């Protein structure tokens, strides 16, 4: 039925054109943003999951930064610890040499030992990274270990926990930075030895005064004094090896965890992408089809409106 009050064909064509324009707008938005689900209105469930996972990945990014910072601190301490072990080995050699040397030679040997002692202090004092020195810490301080965050964990109830790698200062402390300790130091190199009562940093082969086993003016007691100093040096080297092992193990674990967190972040990004990313090949093909539909819809609407004009012409 032809009617001048209601143009059914035009209404149908207009509805079809509006639907095409809406679909075209959606496709253009996906192409411009790259997302199939850009807002909660697109798909509330997928958007919520993606938002949560992105938040978790931001936490993983912080964990990755923490691992990098921790690795820098531990690498620095590990390198300095190994160098310190080499220097203490040289001190041991000089003490052993001095045991059978004459008085004049001992003075020369002591000059070399003093150089090594100064070298130890310089190396340890310079082992700083980002304000931290794991080899020179305060035995009376509140901080007893280095904590490196390694993971961010959230269970199904929303409760959060974090994993850490810990380095015990007591195992890596070579020099005690406690400002209140006049003589009772707690560092491996500056504390009094159990056998000789001399620390590695203040032992002297030219002056054995105060060394356990030595009696002033009694040459026969010198051998025992040197043996006691060598015993303490061996004990220090053993403790330093333990400290180096502690640092080495932490370093290896940080490297493994850093690789894992990086892979985990990539997996989460990939999973989120599968939920919300647009298939650009598919959307590009759809765009072309919708553009053709839009052109056809405009022509269809024009034809429908043309029919109304033909009806009106009958009355002219």
């Amino acid at each position: 039925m032809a009617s001048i009050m209601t143009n059914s064909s035009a209404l149908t064509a207009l509805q079809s054109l509006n639907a095409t324009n809406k679909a075209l707008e959606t496709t253009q938005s996906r192409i411009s943003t790259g997302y199939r689900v850009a807002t909660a209105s697109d798909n509330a469930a997928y958007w919520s999951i993606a938002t949560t996972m992105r938040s978790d990945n931001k936490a993983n990014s912080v964990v990755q930064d923490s691992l990098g910072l921790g690795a820098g601190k531990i690498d620095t301490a590990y390198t300095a610890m190994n160098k310190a072990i080499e220097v203490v080995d040289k001190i041991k050699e000089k003490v052993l040499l001095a045991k059978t040397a004459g008085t004049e030679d001992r003075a020369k040997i002591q000059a070399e030992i003093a150089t090594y002692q100064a070298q130890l202090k310089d190396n340890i004092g310079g082992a700083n990274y980002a304000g931290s020195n794991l080899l020179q810490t305060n035995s009376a301080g509140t901080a007893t270990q280095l904590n490196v965050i390694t993971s961010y964990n959230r269970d199904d109830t929303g409760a959060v926990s974090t994993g850490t790698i810990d380095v015990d200062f007591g195992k890596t402390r070579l020099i005690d930075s406690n400002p209140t300790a006049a003589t009772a130091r707690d560092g491996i190199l500056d504390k009094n030895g159990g056998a000789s009562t001399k620390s590695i940093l203040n032992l002297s082969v030219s002056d054995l005064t105060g060394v356990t086993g030595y009696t002033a003016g009694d040459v026969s007691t010198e051998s025992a004094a040197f043996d006691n100093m060598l015993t303490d040096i061996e004990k220090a080297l053993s403790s330093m090896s333990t400290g180096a092992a502690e640092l080495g193990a932490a370093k290896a674990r940080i490297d493994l965890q850093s690789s894992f967190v990086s892979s985990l972040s990539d997996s989460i990004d990939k999973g989120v992408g599968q939920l919300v990313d647009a298939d650009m090949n598919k959307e590009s093909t759809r765009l072309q089809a919708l553009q053709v539909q839009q052109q056809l819809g405009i022509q269809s609407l024009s034809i429908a409106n043309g029919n109304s004009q033909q009806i009106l012409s009958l009355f002219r």
Side-chain angles (χ1 to χ4, degrees):
M1 180 185 72
S3 171
I4 62 172
M5 301 301 295
T6 304
N7 190 339
S8 299
S9 298
L11 291 176
T12 300
L14 182 60
Q15 290 174 357
S16 178
L17 181 59
N18 286 338
T20 300
N21 286 339
K22 185 175 181 179
L24 185 61
E25 181 181 347
T26 299
T27 300
Q28 288 174 331
S29 175
R30 290 177 178 178
I31 291 175
S32 63
T33 63
Y35 290 118
R36 177 170 60 93
V37 180
T39 64
S41 60
D42 296 328
N43 187 312
Y46 282 3
W47 181 86
S48 176
I49 294 171
T51 300
T52 301
M53 297 310 296
R54 286 182 182 128
S55 177
D56 286 350
N57 233 10
K58 290 177 181 177
N60 285 333
S61 178
V62 175
V63 170
Q64 192 75 19
D65 291 342
S66 172
L67 288 168
L69 182 60
K73 293 178 179 180
I74 291 173
D75 282 345
T76 300
Y78 181 75
T79 299
M81 179 71 81
N82 283 333
K83 291 298 181 182
I85 290 174
E86 293 177 8
V87 175
V88 174
D89 272 333
K90 292 180 180 179
I91 292 177
K92 181 177 74 171
E93 294 172 4
K94 296 304 178 183
V95 172
L96 184 59
L97 178 62
K99 182 176 180 179
T100 57
T103 303
E104 183 178 342
D105 289 334
R106 285 180 181 176
K108 296 176 182 178
I109 294 172
Q110 179 57 37
E112 292 184 76
I113 291 176
T115 300
Y116 292 140
Q117 291 169 329
Q119 183 67 32
L120 282 172
K121 293 177 182 178
D122 287 344
N123 287 352
I124 295 168
N128 284 293
Y129 186 93
S132 294
N133 189 331
L134 306 186
L135 307 186
Q136 186 168 320
T137 53
N138 187 350
S139 61
T142 56
T144 60
Q145 58 187 8
L146 171 70
N147 304 117
V148 180
I149 295 178
T150 58
S151 62
Y152 179 87
N153 311 304
R154 176 176 50 80
D155 64 19
D156 55 1
T157 66
V160 172
S161 62
T162 57
T164 61
I165 292 175
D166 306 320
V167 177
D168 185 358
F169 290 157
K171 294 181 180 179
T172 64
R173 183 183 298 115
L174 299 184
I175 294 178
D176 192 348
S177 62
N178 181 5
T180 63
T183 57
R185 301 291 181 179
D186 191 44
I188 294 173
L189 298 180
D190 64 358
K191 67 181 176 182
N192 289 337
S196 68
T197 72
K198 292 289 184 178
S199 72
I200 307 302
L201 294 180
N202 70 1
L203 63 81
S204 172
V205 297
S206 60
D207 182 6
L208 299 179
T209 303
V211 178
T212 301
Y214 175 71
T215 301
D218 187 351
V219 178
S220 64
T221 61
E222 289 182 352
S223 179
F226 275 103
D227 287 346
N228 286 334
M229 285 193 291
L230 288 169
T231 297
D232 286 339
I233 291 174
E234 290 294 348
K235 183 178 179 181
L237 284 171
S238 176
S239 296
M240 294 171 77
S241 296
T242 300
E246 177 94 352
L247 293 169
K251 180 178 181 296
R253 188 179 168 196
I254 284 179
D255 289 342
L256 289 172
Q257 188 66 13
S258 180
S259 178
F260 168 73
V261 173
S262 178
S263 298
L264 178 62
S265 295
D266 290 344
S267 297
I268 291 176
D269 283 338
K270 183 179 178 181
V272 170
Q274 290 174 337
L275 289 178
V276 301
D277 286 357
D279 184 336
M280 300 307 287
N281 291 328
K282 181 178 180 181
E283 297 302 334
S284 177
T285 301
R286 179 177 294 173
L287 177 64
Q288 295 177 14
L290 289 172
Q291 286 173 336
V292 172
Q293 291 178 35
Q294 184 185 49
Q295 293 172 0
L296 293 174
I298 292 173
Q299 292 179 4
S300 176
L301 182 60
S302 177
I303 291 172
N305 287 331
N307 290 337
S308 296
Q309 294 296 325
Q310 290 177 0
I311 295 174
L312 290 175
S313 65
L314 297 175
F315 299 95
R316 294 175 181 169

